[in-house]
Amino acid sequence: MAIVNIKIRNNVYQLSCGEGEEHRLLALAEKLNNKVNELATKLPRSNDLMLMVMAGLLLEDKVEELENQVKNLISKTPIQPKEAVNEDAVSDSVEIIAEYIENLALKLDKIYNQ
């Protein structure tokens, strides 16, 4: 596990993450910090905890909106029905192949038993 120091509104937090995930965590923390700072300019009397709660709620709202968009896209995507199997055609094909194999076996038998 790696330890990463992230900074949100002049507060440093130590977080652990998997090896190789440090850069991703730092990038996410920077985005969160930008969102919290944006809210701070709009809500100058709010404390850091309130700003973090607001940022979290806004992000959850965005996640829900995106999930709904994905569900709508999935529901609008037509599902192609599988082609019906024509059992008679399959049966006929199997019989033709079986006859071919039998004829081939007879020819090979004649060649080797001369």
Side-chain angles (χ1 to χ4, degrees):
M1 284 297 222
I3 302 294
V4 177
N5 291 321
I6 64 168
K7 189 175 179 181
I8 308 288
R9 297 263 311 149
N10 297 318
N11 295 308
V12 177
Y13 302 93
Q14 280 192 341
L15 300 175
S16 63
C17 63
E19 293 296 327
E21 295 178 349
E22 298 90 348
H23 293 290
R24 176 81 174 136
L25 183 57
L26 288 168
L28 291 171
E30 183 178 350
K31 285 183 173 185
L32 178 60
N33 189 47
N34 291 340
K35 177 60 84 177
V36 172
N37 286 331
E38 178 186 318
L39 288 169
T41 59
K42 294 177 182 176
L43 307 166
R45 294 181 184 224
S46 297
N47 63 30
D48 286 351
L49 180 58
M50 180 59 74
L51 293 171
M52 294 289 271
V53 169
M54 289 296 297
L57 291 172
L58 288 170
L59 293 171
E60 278 300 310
D61 182 54
K62 186 67 173 173
V63 167
E64 186 175 300
E65 179 184 323
L66 292 171
E67 286 174 340
N68 288 335
Q69 288 177 5
V70 168
K71 287 177 187 175
N72 287 336
L73 286 172
I74 289 171
S75 69
K76 291 178 183 176
T77 303
I79 298 172
Q80 299 296 325
K82 291 184 178 179
E83 291 184 30
V85 176
N86 185 339
E87 292 180 24
D88 291 336
V90 172
S91 179
D92 291 343
S93 296
V94 169
E95 285 181 37
I96 291 169
I97 292 169
E99 287 177 14
Y100 177 78
I101 292 172
E102 285 178 46
N103 288 334
L104 186 58
L106 288 171
K107 288 178 183 177
L108 288 171
D109 188 49
K110 285 181 184 178
I111 291 172
Y112 286 108
N113 289 327
Q114 286 184 349

